[in-house]
Amino acid sequence: MNEEIDEYDIYHQDFTTVSEWEVFIARIEEVLNEWRLSKSSLTKLSGEYTKKWTSKSEEIQFQSNKFILSYHTLERAKSPENSEETDDKSFLLDLHNGIWESTTNFIDDLDGSPFPVSSWYGLKRYIMLCSYSNTPLVDGNLIKLVMSTANIAFANIDCGVPFFVKIREHWQPTYLGFYEDSEHKVSFDTIHLKRISNQCSHLSGLVSLFKSKIASPVALDAVVVSTKFSYELREVDAFAWKKRTQSNEFLSVDGFDVKKLLELPFGSDKNPIHSVLLNAIWPKFRECAIVDSSTFSEIDPLMAPTWTITLKMRDTFNCQLSETINKVMDLLDNNNLLMDTLGLSKSLGLVNPLHKITEAPITISKLVKAAMGQSRHMTDFKGPIADELLMPLLYYVFPDAVEDNTFNYPEQLEVEFKPVDGEQKLCGYVKTSPEDGLVWRVSVTAARLFDAGGLPYLAHLWYEFCQELQYRWEHSILVPGVAEGAPNARTCLLHQKLQLLNCCIRRALEGTGSVPGNSSEDEFFDCSEGENDEQLPWDRPVGRLSRFGDAVMKNGAPLYIPRTQDPAPKTEDQLEEDAELMVRLGDDAKASELRARMMSASLLSDMEAFKAANPGAELCDFVRWYSPRDWKPDGGGALGDRMLLPGNAWAEAWSVARPVPAARQRRLFDETREAEQVLHFLRSRSVSSAAELLLPAILRAGAVKAHEEGVPHGSTTLGGVDTRRTFEIAARELHDAEREACRALCLRTVLGTSEEGKPLDVAGRSRVLGAAGGALPAPARREFTLRVRDCVAPQAMRAALASDMTIIGAFTERVVCL
Amino acid sequence: MILFIKVWRAMATNRSGAAQRPNGAPQTKVCQFKLVLLGESAVGKSSLVLRFVKGQFHEYQESTIGAAFLTQTVCLDDTTVKFEIWDTAGQERYHSLAPMYYRGAQAAIVVYDITNQDTFGRAKNWVKELQRQASPSIVIALAGNKSDLAAKRMVEFEEAQAYADENGLLFMETSAKTAMNVNDIFLAIANKLPKSEGTGAAAAGGARRLGDAEQARQGSCCK
């Protein structure tokens, strides 16, 4: 082994290798050697194999052509035992066994390897040389030259793996291959013709072609034949398939039923089957058992021992869920203001809702007007959706606005935190909102309305949605169907915004806003009378919450924890704004000071509250409570080293903090400002950003729908991509799932209990024949496999006849050296 | 095989009309991840970030107020990973703000100080909270910082390693001072994060809709 490599190294530095062709040969040899493909370094093929192919490849340049030399091999189930002796005979035997065993395959059977040759010839490993994508190997002279090169390289390194060259255009399945040892040569030939020659159009002609190719000097055994005739059944509507009608009819006022809106459509809108391919298969018969010649044929598909079915789906069939989603996805490119959509519809004689909003900020929600029974009398904006339709929709989204509780929100609005039974749902990476919560309902409704009525319908719903939120804020009515608490960044942005709005409304409900902080009581923890006596009025401690254990300040007075303000909750886009600002500020000292000031609102507020509660306090007293790891007990209390850094933000903040109890401080969380911002944010969305707000819930609702329709759970993980890309990937995943579900449905209707590609049962045969109208059309494709063992080896040839003709063969001859 | 995929990809890109790439040229994808640092105050969160982002170290690092934000990019074989780092304040008072940062994060580094057993206990609480409240797919790393102070060690390496193994955490002992394992822990996180193909063209809205040609191709090869 080592000897060989040495020899080769010497050869490589041999500067007599000068012509391009020689370099080409040398390069192929180099790669083959590197992959250790000579007979002496290869292991025997026997043993267990998995069905997985592994490949390696190298680029090789020859003249102006680029080639890719690749080696493909099936993975072994167990690592081979090296003790087995290999010789010429065992390689050839393995090869012949493979060729013989593979003759029961048909040309279009695939084995998962990158090239079909392994399936055609039963190979477990092969070498492939193919030209680079844009320059197919079509020139006859070049093909000859490349084949010679391959032959020489193969012989030089005594290669033990069949070598193939891809020739002709890329779409043509034409490969020339060979294998050699000291006594035999195996040729793998392919012929591809765009027309069928007369001689080859029937079995008897093919048999004689086969025999002439073998050119055996002695009489051959009978040739064994396998045949597959494929019939394309186009009248496939005979197969009943489940059709769903999803149309815009729910928009008609008469038959309007809001329930029809709740569901996303799913499935194809027409029969997705393009054709059914029926394969009539005769696995094995002797050449003279069935006659098939140019004038007469005994081949009758009804007599074929085996029938199998291959379904061909339409190239394009519309999946309704994907269509709905794609329409919303298309909105992502529309940067106009959503409200402009309504303003532009002058034909309806409307005021621009944007003007209305700016001119008359106090608005009355449709729902309220309905309750007051005034809607007929007031002149008001009228959108494209008729009231008879709009009201049930709004009652569906805001069910608490009406006594009738058909559509109340679930009691528990859990954001889905744990996968069910460890199984991931489709689109699990899209940020969610509580299932069947408000965001969910408004999003699905928006998608369905948009699908049915276009952008004006969507805009109108959005307008009414914003009006209702505005009303709720003004009248301190909590928004239903939204999870409790501060904005949860694991939920989608629209949900976070509504959570923030509810925080504002709750704060407003808690009182008139005079007592911010972690308590709504208007009382302060006052010190006991005795302690206060000697203190001056301006120095009276205020805003105490409790003693801090039994800790005392440096001056010996007890240390009190002050009442403090809660930090302001933020939604993810506000955090992103903070982040962006911090990045934009840059790196210098001034910037870091600004950054610290930006973040120190809460710190300053706490310091002021602390000072108010603990007159005479020093920074080290504050730090003892606030950041105990920066406090040292030395001498009654001292600051840790990093608090002593000159100019540090803590000391700065302390120096400017005045003693002000939390109750009298400027509020950290200004609910009025925050609420107005949320409302303005929603109203001023562009079409694309409104779609961005709605899509998460639409996609998640689509995924739930898909699971209801029987799509299995998946486990796609996603990471590192932006929101838009996430939507695309999710939409793609749903599209694939929907297609697959349509396909599975078709398979069930056509095949019943049988499996695709497996023999049909009797009931299946009669069902298919019935659907075809009792008689089969002319075969769309015929395939014959011929094989025989002569005195040298097994010889095999296949022919596939459709509108074009492919003949492939593996022939072994003895190499006679005289 | 890899080559073929690249060629196919290049062809697919050309078909959809996006920017042409030379055939077979290595293509790097850019992935962005939000990362949050959590842990008791004064364990060295900011120092770790400063070492990772700027390669600097200050013996006394000012105590973080609220939270700081920094970014850093690391290159893996075929991917550029951009970390958007939220460095939170460790004081208990800021605990209620932490969910705001970690809920939207794809990765978290929970830091403790190997010379202080309490900070390790606090780290365990953070891990528990993350497992309960953060995204189920969040990648959590545990960093035992100040490993240069091994003489004052109070938390044994084996103890922390066992805890990390039990909870499926990445674990390293780090030193922002000597830079030991600092880049490594971020790289380990970058390697563990799922990285999807997100093309720049898509981000700009160019190749947004699944190419119709591609869809047709997918359809026709159904059989």
Side-chain angles (χ1 to χ4, degrees):
Chain A
M1 248 307 296
N2 287 336
E3 225 177 75
E4 198 180 284
I5 287 172
D6 287 345
E7 240 171 59
Y8 164 71
D9 275 349
I10 294 160
Y11 174 69
H12 187 62
Q13 285 157 21
D14 181 352
F15 292 102
T16 57
T17 309
V18 282
S19 83
E20 258 187 297
W21 184 47
E22 283 166 305
V23 173
F24 186 36
I25 299 171
R27 177 80 180 115
I28 292 180
E29 285 175 30
E30 181 189 18
V31 175
L32 296 185
N33 265 322
E34 195 179 295
W35 291 341
R36 301 159 61 93
L37 299 183
S38 68
K39 289 194 182 74
S40 54
S41 3
L42 279 167
T43 53
K44 266 191 76 164
L45 278 167
S46 55
E48 295 272 311
Y49 283 84
T50 62
K51 290 193 167 171
K52 198 170 163 242
W53 286 89
T54 50
S55 308
K56 31 191 166 183
S57 61
E58 282 287 336
E59 273 181 50
I60 295 179
Q61 182 90 25
F62 174 52
Q63 291 170 356
S64 57
N65 299 294
K66 246 195 213 169
F67 290 90
I68 298 167
L69 183 65
S70 53
Y71 172 57
H72 309 272
T73 177
L74 265 183
E75 269 181 23
R76 280 178 192 267
K78 285 175 288 188
S79 60
E81 289 146 32
N82 289 328
S83 56
E84 276 185 272
E85 286 285 307
T86 56
D87 54 43
D88 272 14
K89 276 221 177 94
S90 69
F91 282 121
L92 194 70
L93 196 64
D94 282 339
L95 197 60
H96 282 152
N97 285 343
I99 291 171
W100 190 256
E101 281 159 19
S102 71
T103 50
T104 51
N105 298 346
F106 289 98
I107 288 184
D108 47 2
D109 290 342
L110 299 172
D111 64 356
S113 101
F115 297 94
V117 291
S118 56
S119 162
W120 293 351
Y121 304 119
L123 303 176
K124 292 194 177 68
R125 53 196 181 199
Y126 61 93
I127 299 163
M128 178 65 69
L129 181 70
C130 58
S131 70
Y132 221 75
S133 55
N134 42 8
T135 50
L137 200 56
V138 283
D139 175 32
N141 289 329
L142 188 61
I143 292 173
K144 276 186 207 155
L145 192 60
V146 171
M147 287 309 292
S148 311
T149 310
N151 268 301
I152 295 169
F154 188 96
N156 278 347
I157 71 150
D158 192 23
C159 182
V161 180
F163 195 118
F164 287 86
V165 178
K166 169 81 185 77
I167 60 164
R168 302 278 167 214
E169 301 287 349
H170 285 291
W171 56 270
Q172 290 183 299
T174 40
Y175 303 88
L176 293 182
F178 62 91
Y179 174 84
E180 271 182 343
D181 64 21
S182 52
E183 286 174 36
H184 295 88
K185 173 168 181 155
V186 186
S187 326
F188 303 96
D189 296 333
T190 313
I191 301 165
H192 180 257
L193 296 175
K194 288 175 193 165
R195 291 177 48 208
I196 301 173
S197 77
N198 277 339
Q199 201 218 332
C200 300
S201 65
H202 45 81
L203 179 57
S204 54
L206 289 166
V207 170
S208 51
L209 174 71
F210 182 50
K211 287 179 174 167
S212 68
K213 184 80 185 160
I214 299 170
S216 168
V218 293
L220 284 170
D221 286 348
V223 174
V224 179
V225 186
S226 308
T227 299
K228 176 166 94 172
F229 275 38
S230 301
Y231 300 86
E232 203 170 86
L233 310 181
R234 285 178 178 278
E235 294 301 315
V236 283
D237 282 342
F239 294 109
W241 55 284
K242 205 167 141 203
K243 187 173 180 173
R244 282 155 222 276
T245 42
Q246 288 285 355
S247 65
N248 301 346
E249 68 196 39
F250 65 84
L251 288 178
S252 73
V253 172
D254 296 337
F256 178 70
D257 179 2
V258 73
K259 286 195 182 93
K260 285 189 187 155
L261 253 183
L262 316 190
E263 242 190 301
L264 285 165
F266 190 87
S268 61
D269 57 353
K270 56 183 180 196
N271 195 343
I273 304 175
H274 173 262
S275 60
V276 176
L277 204 64
L278 166 65
N279 305 304
I281 296 172
W282 293 259
K284 203 171 178 185
F285 60 90
R286 287 166 162 259
E287 57 177 305
C288 40
I290 299 177
V291 179
D292 179 48
S293 67
S294 58
T295 51
F296 174 73
S297 174
E298 282 181 350
I299 293 180
D300 176 2
L302 297 182
M303 305 300 289
T306 308
W307 277 17
T308 65
I309 292 285
T310 310
L311 273 193
K312 196 172 161 215
M313 310 298 280
R314 281 178 201 283
D315 285 352
T316 50
F317 63 88
N318 293 338
C319 294
Q320 299 178 79
L321 175 62
S322 299
E323 281 289 293
T324 307
I325 289 172
N326 275 338
K327 278 189 191 172
V328 183
M329 294 280 288
D330 283 339
L331 294 180
L332 292 173
D333 297 328
N334 182 338
N335 290 320
N336 297 322
L337 286 183
L338 182 55
M339 289 298 111
D340 273 354
T341 312
L342 299 177
L344 288 174
S345 32
K346 284 210 176 103
S347 58
L348 292 164
L350 303 171
V351 259
N352 187 330
L354 273 182
H355 295 163
K356 262 180 64 85
I357 289 160
T358 44
E359 285 165 14
I362 297 164
T363 51
I364 298 179
S365 157
K366 267 240 148 47
L367 293 179
V368 179
K369 273 180 293 178
M372 298 190 301
Q374 282 184 326
S375 61
R376 305 274 171 221
H377 310 295
M378 289 174 69
T379 51
D380 185 30
F381 165 74
K382 273 183 92 67
I385 310 176
D387 276 3
E388 289 82 352
L389 228 133
L390 184 61
M391 296 316 292
L393 282 182
L394 290 176
Y395 286 137
Y396 169 56
V397 178
F398 296 101
D400 59 341
V402 70
E403 291 294 317
D404 165 36
N405 49 11
T406 323
F407 297 114
N408 272 354
Y409 283 110
E411 293 276 313
Q412 288 285 322
L413 281 168
E414 282 296 315
V415 179
E416 177 196 336
F417 281 132
K418 292 275 175 282
V420 189
D421 305 328
E423 278 185 326
Q424 291 278 328
K425 282 188 176 167
L426 285 174
C427 304
Y429 42 81
V430 177
K431 284 197 175 182
T432 181
S433 58
E435 194 164 322
D436 200 31
L438 182 138
V439 172
W440 192 279
R441 286 190 186 178
V442 82
S443 302
V444 171
T445 309
R448 298 282 278 125
L449 277 178
F450 174 60
D451 191 22
L455 198 51
Y457 274 56
L458 171 62
H460 191 184
L461 177 72
W462 190 258
Y463 167 77
E464 294 295 345
F465 174 65
C466 294
Q467 294 296 85
E468 176 65 19
L469 292 179
Q470 172 88 37
Y471 177 84
R472 278 170 189 265
W473 159 242
E474 284 163 7
H475 294 81
S476 303
I477 306 166
L478 286 169
V479 181
V482 176
E484 295 252 332
N488 182 340
R490 286 188 55 199
T491 61
C492 64
L493 184 58
L494 180 55
H495 185 257
Q496 291 180 43
K497 288 287 176 194
L498 296 177
Q499 281 186 309
L500 186 61
L501 184 64
N502 265 355
C503 285
C504 299
I505 295 173
R506 203 168 286 118
R507 181 69 73 87
L509 278 172
E510 272 170 7
T512 47
S514 63
V515 186
N518 42 20
S519 162
S520 59
E521 298 161 53
D522 206 354
E523 289 172 41
F524 299 102
F525 187 96
D526 286 320
C527 321
S528 60
E529 293 294 314
E531 282 178 65
N532 280 341
D533 282 348
E534 65 257 50
Q535 278 168 328
L536 296 167
W538 58 266
D539 205 17
R540 267 185 41 163
V542 277
R544 287 177 172 177
L545 183 67
S546 65
R547 279 285 308 261
F548 182 52
D550 47 9
V552 290
M553 296 199 292
K554 209 172 172 184
N555 64 12
L559 188 64
Y560 283 89
I561 299 174
R563 287 179 191 287
T564 47
Q565 293 198 51
D566 282 338
K570 284 182 180 174
T571 53
E572 67 183 8
D573 58 327
Q574 290 173 316
L575 272 190
E576 269 160 34
E577 277 169 29
D578 287 356
E580 207 176 297
L581 189 61
M582 281 199 229
V583 169
R584 242 196 344 239
L585 280 175
D587 261 349
D588 54 28
K590 188 146 187 232
S592 49
E593 192 192 316
L594 274 172
R595 261 200 297 267
R597 202 172 300 162
M598 215 175 104
M599 297 308 289
S600 64
S602 204
L603 178 69
L604 188 65
S605 149
D606 290 346
M607 282 179 168
E608 296 197 330
F610 186 85
K611 279 190 175 177
N614 298 287
E618 290 179 35
L619 178 57
C620 69
D621 300 320
F622 175 76
V623 165
R624 181 175 188 183
W625 160 60
Y626 207 81
S627 183
R629 300 240 303 149
D630 287 305
W631 180 80
K632 288 192 284 196
D634 321 352
L639 287 173
D641 293 323
R642 59 181 190 160
M643 286 292 172
L644 296 170
L645 289 172
N648 89 78
W650 290 66
E652 302 270 298
W654 183 258
S655 67
V656 297
R658 298 161 306 142
V660 183
R664 269 180 246 140
Q665 288 173 5
R666 223 187 110 202
R667 279 168 296 168
L668 291 176
F669 180 66
D670 181 343
E671 69 267 16
T672 308
R673 207 187 60 200
E674 292 292 334
E676 289 299 343
Q677 271 182 6
V678 169
L679 294 168
H680 176 74
F681 172 88
L682 294 176
R683 264 197 301 259
S684 63
R685 284 305 85 190
S686 64
V687 175
S688 65
S689 49
E692 218 168 285
L693 289 176
L694 295 168
L695 268 168
I698 295 173
L699 290 164
R700 293 294 291 246
V704 167
K705 179 73 187 169
H707 288 311
E708 283 169 12
E709 297 285 332
V711 172
H713 289 243
S715 61
T716 317
T717 52
L718 187 68
V721 295
D722 62 5
T723 321
R724 296 254 168 135
R725 184 73 188 140
T726 308
F727 292 160
E728 283 161 27
I729 291 169
R732 183 58 190 252
E733 190 177 36
L734 285 179
H735 176 262
D736 290 350
E738 194 178 16
R739 265 195 91 95
E740 196 46 47
C742 291
R743 195 180 136 73
L745 185 69
C746 294
L747 279 178
R748 275 202 304 282
T749 57
V750 175
L751 292 169
T753 53
S754 308
E755 272 181 68
E756 188 174 17
K758 295 278 157 55
L760 274 183
D761 54 19
V762 181
R765 279 177 82 136
S766 50
R767 188 174 56 243
V768 171
L769 196 59
L776 297 175
R781 186 171 177 280
R782 293 171 295 150
E783 184 174 337
F784 300 93
T785 307
L786 318 176
R787 69 264 198 190
V788 70
R789 278 182 195 276
D790 68 359
C791 51
V792 184
Q795 316 281 2
M797 187 180 95
R798 300 138 184 280
L801 314 172
S803 58
D804 57 354
M805 176 177 83
T806 310
I807 298 182
I808 58 175
F811 299 98
T812 309
E813 56 190 321
R814 248 195 204 111
V815 182
V816 188
C817 297
L818 292 175
Chain B
M1 189 56 194
I2 292 159
L3 265 170
F4 295 118
I5 291 170
K6 273 184 192 158
V7 172
W8 182 85
R9 219 186 261 155
M11 279 158 44
T13 318
N14 292 346
R15 207 184 312 138
S16 62
Q20 294 243 353
R21 269 187 220 95
N23 276 345
Q27 184 183 345
T28 53
K29 52 183 179 188
V30 180
C31 290
Q32 289 196 24
F33 295 100
K34 292 190 174 72
L35 182 146
V36 64
L37 277 104
L38 299 166
E40 180 61 272
S41 75
V43 294
K45 296 181 294 298
S46 301
S47 294
L48 279 177
V49 178
L50 194 68
R51 173 60 83 182
F52 173 57
V53 173
K54 293 182 190 156
Q56 296 171 354
F57 176 76
H58 304 310
E59 193 63 42
Y60 299 109
Q61 170 72 30
E62 191 170 308
S63 181
T64 306
I65 297 169
F69 180 83
L70 293 99
T71 63
Q72 175 66 303
T73 303
V74 296
C75 292
L76 304 179
D77 292 343
D78 58 341
T79 315
T80 304
V81 172
K82 184 179 176 197
F83 281 117
E84 300 176 338
I85 305 165
W86 276 108
D87 171 25
T88 64
Q91 283 82 8
E92 184 52 34
R93 178 78 181 106
Y94 293 111
H95 191 155
S96 64
L97 287 180
M100 207 159 83
Y101 298 105
Y102 68 63
R103 278 202 179 118
Q106 287 88 41
I109 304 183
V110 177
V111 188
Y112 69 92
D113 172 354
I114 66 156
T115 68
N116 184 315
Q117 184 73 38
D118 290 346
T119 64
F120 184 55
R122 187 82 191 83
K124 286 182 181 173
N125 285 337
W126 276 120
V127 170
K128 242 183 258 163
E129 182 168 338
L130 286 174
Q131 286 168 340
R132 220 175 37 239
Q133 298 280 328
S135 153
S137 58
I138 192 169
V139 173
I140 307 175
L142 182 67
N145 196 31
K146 308 195 185 177
S147 66
D148 49 295
L149 301 177
K152 298 192 200 160
R153 175 189 289 278
M154 298 298 288
V155 182
E156 289 309 320
F157 180 87
E158 290 74 19
E159 184 191 358
Q161 181 70 63
Y163 171 76
D165 291 346
E166 246 166 66
N167 288 275
L169 318 175
L170 290 168
F171 171 64
M172 284 183 200
E173 284 197 347
T174 56
S175 166
K177 187 171 183 175
T178 66
M180 185 186 97
N181 277 346
V182 175
N183 286 344
D184 307 64
I185 199 164
F186 281 93
L187 270 176
I189 292 167
N191 272 314
K192 201 173 170 188
L193 284 163
K195 288 167 284 292
S196 308
E197 200 74 44
T199 58
R208 197 197 51 69
R209 193 149 186 205
L210 318 165
D212 290 333
E214 197 186 351
Q215 255 176 15
R217 187 187 54 76
Q218 290 258 326
S220 65
C221 68
C222 274
K223 45 162 261 177

